[in-house]
């Protein structure tokens, strides 16, 4: 079983029965993760604008379908106060790199190989997305 899956299962086991993901209205857990160049990016640094945070993995079929849509969203949002951030949870960064060679991203891609950030967002599955408001609170979960 993948390390991420173990973290996710333990996290879900500790939740009340009906909880599926971090709900709207809750503060979005802050994180600092590396991008493809090794530069650290924090959610706090994006405060004041809307942030679309998408958790994905190379082995996730629906993620392949969502990447073209997120590329379009990112291009349309450049003039608006919206930032698209995709958080990869693959343990092996090479798997993510192979995925991105097939489906390049025009948005920020960050890496969470230990799954700690993913666990803090209480993901019910892949992909899971959150719209974070300028105030740092979750506005929408999908």
């Amino acid at each position: 079983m993948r390390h991420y899956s173990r973290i996710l299962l333990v996290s879900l086991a500790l939740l009340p029965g009906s909880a599926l993901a971090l709900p709207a209205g809750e503060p979005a857990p802050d994180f600092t993760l590396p991008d493809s160049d090794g530069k650290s990016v924090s959610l706090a640094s994006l405060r004041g604008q809307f942030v679309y945070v998408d958790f994905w993995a190379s082995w996730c079929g629906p993620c392949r379908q969502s990447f073209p849509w997120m590329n379009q969203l990112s291009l349309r949002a450049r003039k608006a106060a919206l930032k698209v951030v995709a958080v990869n949870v693959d343990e092996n960064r090479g798997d993510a790199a192979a995925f991105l060679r097939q489906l390049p991203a025009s948005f920020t891609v960050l890496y969470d190989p230990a799954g700690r950030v993913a666990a803090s967002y209480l993901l019910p599955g892949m992909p899971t997305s959150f719209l974070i408001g300028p105030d740092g609170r979750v506005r929408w979960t999908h």
Side-chain angles (χ1 to χ4, degrees):
M1 186 187 286
R2 295 179 183 267
H3 178 70
Y4 166 76
S5 298
R6 288 191 299 267
I7 290 172
L8 182 59
L9 289 175
V10 169
S11 298
L12 291 175
L14 298 174
L15 296 175
S18 63
L20 292 178
L22 194 63
E26 290 293 314
D30 192 23
F31 57 80
T32 301
L33 293 170
D35 67 10
S36 299
D37 298 324
K39 176 184 168 198
S40 292
V41 176
S42 70
L43 182 61
S45 71
L46 304 173
R47 194 104 185 228
Q49 59 187 322
F50 282 94
V51 183
Y52 183 85
V53 179
D54 180 77
F55 290 89
W56 68 282
S58 63
W59 44 264
C60 165
C63 297
R64 291 189 172 283
Q65 296 171 351
S66 67
F67 260 60
W69 179 83
M70 288 192 300
N71 277 327
Q72 291 176 352
L73 177 63
S74 177
L75 292 173
R76 285 183 295 197
R78 286 189 178 171
K79 294 180 182 172
L82 173 68
K83 178 81 171 170
V84 177
V85 177
V87 178
N88 176 266
V89 298
D90 284 306
E91 289 179 13
N92 179 348
R93 187 126 161 217
D95 294 339
F99 179 101
L100 291 169
R101 278 192 296 280
Q102 294 175 5
L103 293 163
S106 63
F107 44 85
T108 302
V109 176
L110 304 177
Y111 298 91
D112 181 27
R116 288 187 188 101
V117 174
S120 73
Y121 277 76
L122 311 175
L123 303 187
M126 288 291 162
T128 298
S129 303
F130 299 86
L131 180 63
I132 311 300
D135 60 356
R137 293 190 174 275
V138 174
R139 297 286 180 94
W140 175 82
T141 303
H142 175 72

